[in-house]
Amino acid sequence: MTVFNQIAIIGIGLIGSSIARAAKETGVCERILLTDASAEVCQRAGSLGLGDVVESVKDCVETADLVLMCTPVGVMSDLARDMAPHLKPGTIVSDVGSVKSAVYDTVHAYLPETVHFIPGHPIAGTEKSGPEAGFSSLFQDRWCILTPPEAEEGGDALAQLTAFWEGLGSKVEIMPIDRHDRVLAITSHLPHLIAFNIVGTAHDLESVTEGEVVKFSAGGFRDFTRIAASDPIMWRDVFLNNKEAVLEMLGRFNEDLTALQRAIRWGEGEQLRAFFERTRGIRKSIVDAGQDTDADDFGRGGPKD
Ligand code: NAP
C-alpha cells in the first residue's frame, strides 16, 4: 500500500539503504530520493539501484513528503539546520537514531513549525555498516519505536508514519522520549559498552596472547567480539548523547556485579544458582516472545555471512 508519494533518505548506510530496499520492495512510496555526505557512498548507492541519488540535501528534501535522517546521531542537528529552509509545509521529518532525547532537543530547535517532527528508532540492525550491508527484510517483525511530541499524538502525521513502518514489516510502539532512552540504555547501549570493554580487556591481558584470544574465542566471547565490531562513530555518538541514562544503568550494573563478585569470593553457590535460574527464565521469555531472531539492535545477525 502506498503511504507517501516521495521519501527522502539522508545517510545511505546500513539502516538508510535497508529502508530504501524495503520501501522499494513493498511499494510504501512512489519515489525514493537519497543522499549522503560521502560522494563515494552516493555513487555506490546509485550502482546498487537503491533509488534516485542526488548530491545535495536541498535536492533530496525539497519535494519530499517524508524525510528520514539515517546518519549518526551526532550530525543530526547540523543536518536539520541545513535542510530546514528547503522543507515544504506539511512534510514529516523523522530519524532512526538510537538516542531520542538529545536528537529531539537539538533537531526540533532548527525545524520550521510548518513541518511535523516525529522521532523514531527501528529496533533492528547488525554490526555492519554502509549501503552494501543493508537488506530489505531487516525490519520484518521487528519493533519500531516512535516518540511523538504531545502536539503530534493522535494526529494524521503519526498515523502516516506508523503506516509507513508497518508497511516495511515493523510492529510500531509509541513511547515517551525519556522512557525510550532509559529502556534502550539497559537493553542495547549497556550491552554494547560491556562488549567493547570485555574485548578490549581480553586483548590487553598480558597473560593471554592475542593468538589465544582468537583461537579459543568460542561461545560467549565470540558473540561479544561480533557486537564489539559495531560502527565506532555510531556508538561514540550514542554514548555521548545518552550519557545520563547510560551512567544510571551502569551504576546499577556495577552494584549487581559487586554482589556476584562477593558471592563468588565467599563461595555462596546457592545465591549464584538462584541468580542464573532467574536469568535463564528471562532468556526463555525473550524466546517465547519471538524476539530471538537473527537481526537485532544488540548487534547480532543479519543475513548469514
Ligand atoms: P552507517 O552504516 O555508518 O551509515 C551512516 C551513513 O550516514 C554513512 O554513509 C555516513 O557517511 C552518512 N553520513 C554521516 N554524516 C552525514 C551527513 N552529515 N549527511 C549525510 N550523510 C551523512 O550507520 P547505520 O548503522 O546505518 O546507522 C545510522 C543511524 O541508525 C544511526 O543514528 C544509528 O544510531 C541508527 N541505528 C543503527 C542501528 C544499527 O544496528 N546499526 C540500529 C538502529 C538504529 P560516512 O560513512 O562517509 O560518514
Side-chain angles (χ1 to χ4, degrees), residues 10-16 36-38 41 70-73 75-76 79 96-98 121-122 124-126 128-130 231 234 238 297:
I10 306 174
I12 323 173
L14 167 75
I15 301 293
D36 194 280
S38 154
V41 168
C70 301
T71 63
V73 166
V75 301
M76 286 184 186
L79 203 53
V96 297
S98 308
H121 179 199
T126 76
K128 301 195 176 108
S129 307
D231 189 68
M234 171 189 153
V238 167
D297 202 36

Side-chain angles (χ1 to χ4, degrees), residues 223-292:
D223 288 345
F224 278 124
T225 62
R226 183 165 187 161
I227 297 163
S230 299
D231 189 68
I233 305 284
M234 171 189 153
W235 283 99
R236 177 201 65 189
D237 286 3
V238 167
F239 292 118
L240 293 182
N241 287 281
N242 199 21
K243 191 157 66 175
E244 278 174 27
V246 169
L247 291 178
E248 181 194 332
M249 298 307 165
L250 197 55
R252 285 290 302 270
F253 175 83
N254 282 333
E255 275 177 31
D256 292 344
L257 193 62
T258 303
L260 285 176
Q261 195 177 357
R262 240 187 94 82
I264 293 169
R265 184 182 308 285
W266 295 105
E268 292 167 354
E270 182 49 34
Q271 194 179 329
L272 290 172
R273 193 198 58 81
F275 192 88
F276 302 153
E277 284 292 346
R278 186 157 72 87
T279 56
R280 176 184 257 190
I282 294 166
R283 163 72 187 171
K284 187 174 177 307
S285 57
I286 290 170
V287 173
D288 290 349
Q291 287 300 300
D292 181 42

